[in-house]
Amino acid sequence: RRLCRDEYLHYMRIREWHDVHSQLRRTAKDMGLKPGQPGSDPDLVHQALLTGLLSHIGLREPDGREFLGARQGKFMVFPGSGLAKKPPRWVMVGELVETTRLWGRTAAKIQPEWAERAGAHLVKHSYSEPHWSAKRGAVMAREKVTLYGIPLVADRLVQYGRIDPVVSRDLFIRHALVQGEWRTHHRFFAENQTMVAEVELLEDRLRRRDLRVDDETLYAFYDERVPAEVVSVRHFDTWWKAARRERPDLMTFDPAMLQQAPVGDPDDEFPREWHSHGQSYALTYAFEPGTDVDGVTVDLPVEQLLTVDDSAFAWHVPGHRIDLVTELIRSLPKKV
């Protein structure tokens, strides 16, 4: 008593603390628990108390001192608390008292991950914006975690494969395999991309957009072969490592399936080289109406620019001569 009086401490409060400490030590001893080291982190005490006070947590509003509590309730930290003047973002209160308004007494600062971990059986998860991430090689989504209506996590990026494998597999096939939005060294993928590029170059040469099959055909090809449990690059690599030993050509396209209509040899009508005076020059085809590169481009070295017979260019490549002559006839006077 003399010590408490000299130190300006409340004797009965010190007595209560001593009794609680003794009870905890006896209980821990009966349970076979060993006491921690003196000077342990107070956060550990708060985390232990939080398991029984999950409905007494609060999230401070961004523009004030009011806290959002369980079931959309609103309260403020009691003015006598040390946290009243500078309230933290998250608090836990020992009791809620309603007078002129709802007050939270015996407050302590907490972290939202403590509440998420302690209330794992009570929290609710919701997911939005599933999308393919080429960097992570998996389908990602935005996760929102709430406890009694309080948002513990608002916009966390998580892998969506374990949540919705069906949607994740669909996005993986469409973006990674069909559209090529991934980084891989698998041989079949490089061969497939080369075959698709050749068909697209053929479309540019013939100035058509109906030769290459649509993406749904490619999707159906992969969908028939990829197992249901493959939802990411990691899952695919694990499966393909074993599957390619038995069927190495399982994932490789058949060149015939990439064209909707058979096309003969286009080299006669749309050659790959332009010949002039015994020299050959590379031809580049582009089907981009309205741009400068649309049509056929001849690559000429600068030193040979004046030696090429430019009159031959007026006749264009054989495949375009019918259109060329047709337009020349249209440009004549109507009576002619």
Side-chain angles (χ1 to χ4, degrees), residues 263-274:
V263 178
D265 187 7
D267 289 342
D268 294 336
E269 298 292 321
F270 302 93
R272 299 177 182 272
E273 294 181 341
W274 182 271

Side-chain angles (χ1 to χ4, degrees), residues 2 11 14 29 52 77 92 100 112 126 214 235 246 248 258 281:
R2 287 194 299 270
Y11 173 75
I14 297 295
K29 184 178 181 180
V77 175
M92 168 186 64
T100 55
S126 59
D214 58 6
H235 292 90
E246 300 180 359
L258 298 178
Y281 308 99

Side-chain angles (χ1 to χ4, degrees), residues 20-297:
V20 170
H21 183 266
S22 300
Q23 293 171 14
L24 290 175
R25 288 181 63 89
R26 287 197 300 270
T27 302
K29 184 178 181 180
D30 295 340
M31 298 176 63
L33 301 178
K34 295 182 180 180
Q37 297 296 328
S40 297
D41 189 353
D43 288 348
L44 299 177
V45 178
H46 293 157
Q47 293 179 42
L49 295 174
L50 181 60
T51 57
L53 296 172
L54 290 173
S55 62
H56 283 51
I57 66 173
L59 169 64
R60 183 169 59 84
E61 301 288 349
D63 53 352
R65 296 170 178 254
E66 197 172 39
F67 286 82
L68 173 65
R71 304 173 184 86
Q72 302 303 309
K74 301 291 183 69
F75 69 90
M76 291 185 64
V77 175
F78 190 71
S81 172
L83 302 178
K85 291 184 178 181
K86 293 183 178 180
R89 180 69 171 164
W90 289 88
V91 296
M92 168 186 64
V93 296
E95 58 180 347
L96 292 170
V97 180
E98 186 172 6
T99 54
T100 55
R101 63 177 308 152
L102 191 62
W103 299 99
R105 304 186 61 175
T106 316
K109 178 182 177 181
I110 64 171
Q111 300 297 330
E113 52 267 24
W114 300 352
E116 182 182 6
R117 184 167 56 249
H121 58 297
L122 298 173
V123 297
K124 295 182 178 180
H125 301 264
S126 59
Y127 304 91
S128 62
E129 303 178 22
H131 61 279
W132 171 254
S133 174
K135 181 179 180 181
R136 294 177 172 85
V139 177
M140 310 299 292
R142 302 290 178 179
E143 181 184 35
K144 182 178 181 180
V145 183
T146 59
L147 175 63
Y148 297 123
I150 307 173
L152 300 178
V153 178
D155 195 24
R156 181 165 60 194
L157 199 62
V158 297
Q159 290 199 9
Y160 200 56
R162 58 181 176 81
I163 300 160
D164 194 336
V166 176
V167 173
S168 299
R169 177 179 177 273
D170 177 77
L171 292 176
F172 166 72
I173 293 177
R174 292 190 183 278
H175 289 272
L177 295 174
V178 176
Q179 300 180 18
E181 299 176 9
W182 67 330
R183 293 185 293 270
T184 181
H185 300 289
H186 293 308
R187 186 178 64 181
F188 81 87
F189 183 74
E191 294 176 353
N192 290 349
Q193 292 293 91
T194 301
M195 286 186 281
V196 171
E198 289 177 352
V199 177
E200 293 175 347
L201 288 176
L202 182 59
E203 286 185 328
D204 288 341
R205 294 170 67 186
L206 302 181
R207 298 188 69 79
R208 297 173 57 179
R209 281 292 180 257
D210 58 349
L211 291 181
R212 178 187 178 276
V213 295
D214 58 6
D215 288 347
E216 291 302 321
T217 303
L218 304 183
Y219 175 86
F221 174 86
Y222 287 119
D223 183 45
E224 184 181 353
R225 291 160 173 78
V226 176
E229 64 272 11
V230 174
V231 297
S232 67
V233 172
R234 180 173 59 84
H235 292 90
F236 181 87
D237 291 342
T238 302
W239 165 76
W240 182 239
K241 183 178 181 180
R244 66 185 177 188
R245 297 173 183 172
E246 300 180 359
R247 301 182 60 185
D249 298 332
L250 175 64
M251 302 294 289
T252 306
F253 289 153
D254 179 6
M257 64 165 282
L258 298 178
Q259 295 186 20
Q260 297 187 16
V263 178
D265 187 7
D267 289 342
D268 294 336
E269 298 292 321
F270 302 93
R272 299 177 182 272
E273 294 181 341
W274 182 271
H275 298 278
S276 176
H277 294 85
Q279 298 291 331
S280 60
Y281 308 99
L283 293 180
T284 304
Y285 294 84
F287 185 23
E288 301 177 14
T291 63
D292 293 337
V293 297
D294 182 51
V296 188
T297 302

